[in-house]
Amino acid sequence: DGKPRYVLDISPVNNTVTVGPAEALDVSALTAIKPRWCGAAPTGPGTYTAQLRAHGGETEVTAEPVDGELRVSFAEPVRGVAPGQAIVLYDGTRVVGSATIAATERSRPVARQS
């Protein structure tokens, strides 16, 4: 169809690279590990703003610590989020905490081809 394609997933175990349209890059939620809190850890879900790149803008999220990890849902899907990146949570201008992204959930499932 001549449309641009983007790398959506790389699986070294299976020796496969999954590609798709730009819309398939949209991430709606993520799980992050090794959270570090600036003060006491939240005891339940909360609404924050999050920054995903050093010079990137902030986006509204709902975040909750779950079993030593951080579960984050985005108010609007975001692109360019990948495991290994950091996520920093803010309450206004105050840093609440940060964590390392371990897994993402796409807004649109990636169709697998055999």
Side-chain angles (χ1 to χ4, degrees):
D1 65 4
K3 295 180 183 174
R5 296 289 180 235
Y6 301 86
V7 174
L8 304 175
D9 188 43
I10 298 173
S11 177
V13 174
N14 301 333
N15 253 356
T16 59
V17 175
T18 304
V19 296
E23 302 80 42
L25 294 170
D26 290 347
V27 171
S28 59
L30 62 82
T31 300
I33 57 172
K34 300 180 185 173
R36 297 190 51 105
W37 303 106
C38 299
T43 57
T47 301
Y48 306 96
T49 55
Q51 188 171 9
L52 299 161
R53 287 176 273 301
H55 300 288
E58 294 180 8
T59 185
E60 187 175 326
V61 300
T62 300
E64 179 178 17
V66 178
D67 298 328
E69 297 181 337
L70 181 65
R71 177 78 181 138
V72 179
S73 298
F74 295 97
E76 295 289 326
V78 295
R79 287 190 184 165
V81 181
Q85 289 178 307
I87 181 168
V88 180
L89 299 179
Y90 293 89
D91 182 7
T93 59
R94 183 178 72 85
V95 175
V96 175
S98 65
T100 302
I101 298 169
T104 60
E105 292 180 22
R106 298 199 191 282
S107 298
R108 289 178 24 173
V110 176
R112 299 281 181 200
Q113 308 249 341
S114 358

